[in-house]
């Protein structure tokens, strides 16, 4: 089954990340562990996006799943 991403929330998820750590961002919007993948994309053709933090800091992961700079928010949630 193919599927389009669903909006988890129309705002980003502020998240503290650690340098060198790898994160799997939920691209499908179905995870209950937002902004990260929990396997709920199974059955769709959407897969999570692997992202490695280059520094320890707070980032804003896209919650609307429409960012052109995924997995990070690019501000377009404000136009949804
Ligand atoms: Fe959304 Fe895995 S649960 S990409
Ligand atoms: Fe998706 Fe901001 S939350 S672009």
């Amino acid at each position: 089954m193919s599927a389009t991403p669903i909006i988890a929330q129309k705002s980003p998820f502020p998240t503290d990340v650690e340098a060198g750590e790898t994160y799997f961002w939920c691209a499908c919007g179905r995870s209950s562990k937002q902004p990260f993948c929990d396997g709920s994309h199974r059955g769709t053709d959407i897969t999570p996006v692997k992202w490695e933090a280059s520094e320890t800091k707070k980032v804003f992961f896209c919650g609307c799943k429409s960012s052109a700079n995924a997995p990070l928010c690019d501000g377009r949630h404000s136009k949804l």
Side-chain angles (χ1 to χ4, degrees), residues 6-77:
I6 57 175
I7 296 170
Q9 66 176 29
K10 285 187 185 175
S11 57
F13 291 95
T15 307
D16 292 313
V17 297
E18 276 186 50
E21 286 293 313
T22 297
Y23 300 86
F24 289 88
W25 175 74
C26 168
C28 74
R30 290 161 176 78
S31 173
S32 58
K33 293 191 179 142
Q34 293 295 332
F36 303 118
C37 174
D38 72 351
S40 299
H41 60 272
R42 209 165 291 127
T44 74
D45 60 3
I46 302 173
T47 52
V49 174
K50 185 179 175 186
W51 182 84
E52 187 179 320
S54 55
E55 348 170 19
T56 298
K57 62 175 178 179
K58 188 185 293 290
V59 299
F60 294 84
F61 285 112
C62 172
C64 73
K65 314 304 178 184
S66 303
S67 174
N69 189 37
L72 303 178
C73 171
D74 73 352
R76 71 182 56 198
H77 61 267

